Amino acid sequence: MMTNDTLNTGVDEGRDQELFDRISEHYCRKDLVPASRRARQLRLQQTVKRVLTGNQQAILELGCGAGFSASYLEGRFRKYLGVDYSEKLIELARTHVREQNVEFAAENIKDLRMPGAFDGAFMIGVLHHLSDADETVRRVAECIRPGGWFALNEPSSNNPLINLARQIRKRSDRDYSEEQVSLSRRQMSDVLNRNGFENVVTYGQGILSTPFAEVVMPQWFSVPGSFCSCGVDRGMEHLAPRLLNFVSWNTVAVGYRSA
Ligand SMILES: C[S@@+](CC[C@H](N)C(=O)[O-])C[C@H]1O[C@@H](n2cnc3c(N)ncnc32)[C@H](O)[C@@H]1O
């Protein structure tokens, strides 16, 4: 739900945290099988493509899950901190991703106090899980230096067919978060503009590849399927970016920290 000055998702934080602890092993599989890995890496790359330049930035991931973004972006940052309130997911992150310049913290984003410590931050599929999105985005803003960036990737509400697919999954998959909601591009840019960011841009991300990123399917089908889908999505990104705004599964919003 949206009012003029808050984004209220209606999420029960305790229940959501308990869900991610319970499904952590299952959730982590998406980053262990090749087909899903490929699609998840593409999603991440398309989310940070405008802002993660060079290899000297200190970056912060909020709601990092099992931490595989640090592997997908290897060599592209000076320092990475991944934060998630699921202790089980953070344990898995520490097991799977061991690099000197990578750290993980089991913490609520709202408790972060690291003023100006990062050049940029990102969040994949997390905003709609936050019980108080505005307060959380303000906390993130404090952690980013002036002029630094914040990139969000969220399920989009633009395509009715995709909304229907999500409703069906919600009813049939007991490990799919009940808190799952889709946000409009306007809601995403407003929450950034209200809480310390400016020059916000939004764009669509993912058409064919997103189901492979979200669901582990039989590999004989999904390895070639994911390979082809990622190729098509990469092509669409260059050939028809405007069409993506209407048909994509996800929306990316990128804002810059006001001085
Ligand atoms: C849908 S999952 C996305 C995980 C990961 N970004 C990915 O793309 O696979 C949402 C994640 O956000 C975390 N989360 C939600 N609210 C949080 C909060 N307030 N503080 C820290 N982590 C949070 C959950 O524990 C969960 O791992």
Side-chain angles (χ1 to χ4, degrees), residues 76-185:
R76 295 187 56 194
F77 53 80
R78 174 171 55 82
K79 181 176 111 178
Y80 165 102
L81 174 66
V83 175
D84 201 292
Y85 64 17
S86 163
E87 293 190 0
K88 294 256 161 62
L89 280 169
I90 290 296
E91 267 170 40
L92 288 166
R94 289 184 176 133
T95 309
H96 287 288
V97 189
R98 294 159 182 258
E99 298 294 335
Q100 257 189 348
N101 57 348
V102 172
E103 279 182 42
F104 295 102
E107 225 178 303
N108 194 314
I109 303 163
K110 277 191 279 190
D111 298 331
L112 284 177
R113 301 286 184 279
M114 304 179 82
F118 296 93
D119 298 295
F122 61 97
M123 216 151 79
I124 310 275
V126 180
L127 185 67
H128 65 279
H129 285 274
L130 302 173
S131 58
D132 186 338
D134 281 85
E135 187 193 335
T136 310
V137 173
R138 274 197 297 279
R139 281 277 163 256
V140 177
E142 284 168 15
C143 298
I144 300 174
R145 64 162 173 80
W149 51 270
F150 187 21
L152 306 172
N153 185 314
E154 277 296 306
S156 157
S157 62
N158 292 337
N159 185 329
L161 277 178
I162 286 177
N163 290 339
L164 179 65
R166 286 205 175 99
Q167 286 306 321
I168 292 170
R169 186 170 169 208
K170 214 185 242 185
R171 277 154 213 260
S172 57
D173 181 351
R174 65 184 282 273
D175 289 339
Y176 194 50
S177 171
E178 280 179 36
E179 323 296 1
Q180 187 75 36
V181 291
S182 309
L183 302 175
S184 69
R185 301 173 77 185

Side-chain angles (χ1 to χ4, degrees), residues 194-207:
R194 275 198 304 272
N195 297 296
F197 295 93
E198 59 190 10
N199 300 324
V200 176
V201 289
T202 59
Y203 56 93
Q205 187 277 319
I207 304 182

